[in-house]
Amino acid sequence: MDLILPVGTKVVTAAETRRPDGTPRPSGAVGVVVEAPFDHTHAYRVCFADGEEAAFRRRQILVLKEVQKEGADGAQPAASFADLSRFVIYRCVIGSRAYGLAGESSDYDRRGIYLPPADVQWSLFGVPEQTESDATQECYWELRKFLVLALKANPNVLECLYTPIVEHETELGEELRGLRSIFLSRLVYQTYNGYVISQFKKLEQDIRNRAGIRWKHAMHLIRLLLSGIVVMKEGVVPVRVDEHRERLLAIRRGEVPWTEVNEWRLSLNREFDAAYASTRLPARPDFDRANLFLLKARRSML
């Protein structure tokens, strides 16, 4: 997924941390991502030159290449979450609350889009492609980044446009949600299916290595297949999973044998293949209409 740093990414710690023995590890320490989370609510695992590993939230690490680029370009003031949250044009809830899989202790995973004024967007420093807050479980994308991800059939982004829980939208946000069908194409099949296949291979490798099964991850992969099939058949992104809720929750609790989970996955893969073969969705999303919307939105902020 585009928003998650892949395994092998070289990163730099953003603040001083503590080693297992209590000694400080200075800010700016370089490490490599050895385990990436499924989403931004979980931590990365980073390995350092001394062989030690530690867990970090996304806000606690920086991509080494970006740090090096900033060093070459000169210091740039970073727009804070509070700065950019003033320009939010769309905010919604996705995750377990939107899927209908929430328990009493489930968080509210808020996502959305921000559109800064032209003088901020066009300034020498620009704006980041996304901003987030771990404290409130919020993540927002700059409008162009959001549109690019939607055109690539990123599942999390598409779900933002189809979630039943919308908390805030300006006229532009409402207009974008009205255009949501332009982002649906046969790319959904490649994006969803390719991700599920690769992740199931990792789960099977975990079983062979006796590392244990990440049942919550397995549940979300099944949910993604169920969603992709409906997209192919009906041309909409289903967010709530009421029909399959109890079975999915049983998987998350580890109550369904792995063999049964895998059989369901294989059955859904075959159904997904068949739905793809007969879908009426276009081969590619409507880039032109997405671009026209972006230009209109940009002009509105002059």
Side-chain angles (χ1 to χ4, degrees), residues 73-218:
D73 294 345
Q76 297 183 4
S80 69
F81 176 83
D83 292 334
L84 295 172
S85 61
R86 294 179 295 146
F87 309 126
V88 170
I89 63 171
Y90 183 73
R91 182 175 65 247
C92 65
V93 175
I94 62 171
S96 58
R97 294 283 178 183
Y99 304 148
L101 297 172
E104 293 182 0
S105 60
S106 295
D107 295 322
Y108 281 87
D109 298 319
R110 290 181 170 87
R111 301 291 182 266
I113 307 166
Y114 57 93
L115 178 64
D119 58 348
V120 176
Q121 181 76 48
W122 294 343
S123 73
L124 178 64
F125 308 118
V127 296
E129 291 186 329
Q130 73 179 71
T131 184
E132 56 196 281
S133 169
D134 285 337
T136 56
Q137 297 294 312
E138 292 178 79
C139 177
Y140 297 90
W141 295 277
E142 195 279 322
L143 177 60
R144 180 183 179 279
K145 180 65 173 181
F146 183 92
L147 295 176
V148 169
L149 291 173
L151 290 166
K152 291 181 178 179
N154 180 288
N156 288 333
V157 168
L158 291 181
E159 286 171 0
C160 286
L161 295 173
Y162 283 84
T163 177
I165 310 177
V166 176
E167 294 185 332
H168 167 73
E169 61 182 353
T170 64
E171 289 185 7
L172 280 172
E174 184 178 5
E175 182 178 348
L176 177 59
R177 200 153 58 94
L179 292 170
R180 59 192 178 183
S181 63
I182 71 173
F183 301 103
L184 300 185
S185 71
R186 297 180 188 180
L187 283 179
V188 169
Y189 173 81
Q190 282 96 27
T191 303
Y192 285 34
N193 213 13
Y195 182 71
V196 170
I197 291 172
S198 66
Q199 292 302 305
F200 256 89
K201 286 182 179 178
K202 291 182 180 180
L203 290 177
E204 290 168 344
Q205 185 176 4
D206 289 343
I207 295 173
R208 289 193 296 270
N209 295 335
R210 298 184 179 180
I213 300 174
R214 291 172 289 160
W215 291 109
K216 183 178 180 180
H217 189 35

Side-chain angles (χ1 to χ4, degrees), residues 12-19 23-30 48 50 56:
V12 177
T13 56
E16 182 180 287
T17 56
R18 292 284 171 180
R19 295 184 172 91
T23 59
R25 186 185 301 280
S27 171
V30 177
F48 296 95
D50 57 11
F56 292 89

Side-chain angles (χ1 to χ4, degrees), residues 62-74:
L62 305 170
V63 177
L64 177 59
K65 285 184 178 180
E66 295 177 358
V67 173
Q68 292 171 328
K69 184 177 184 299
E70 288 178 2
D73 294 345

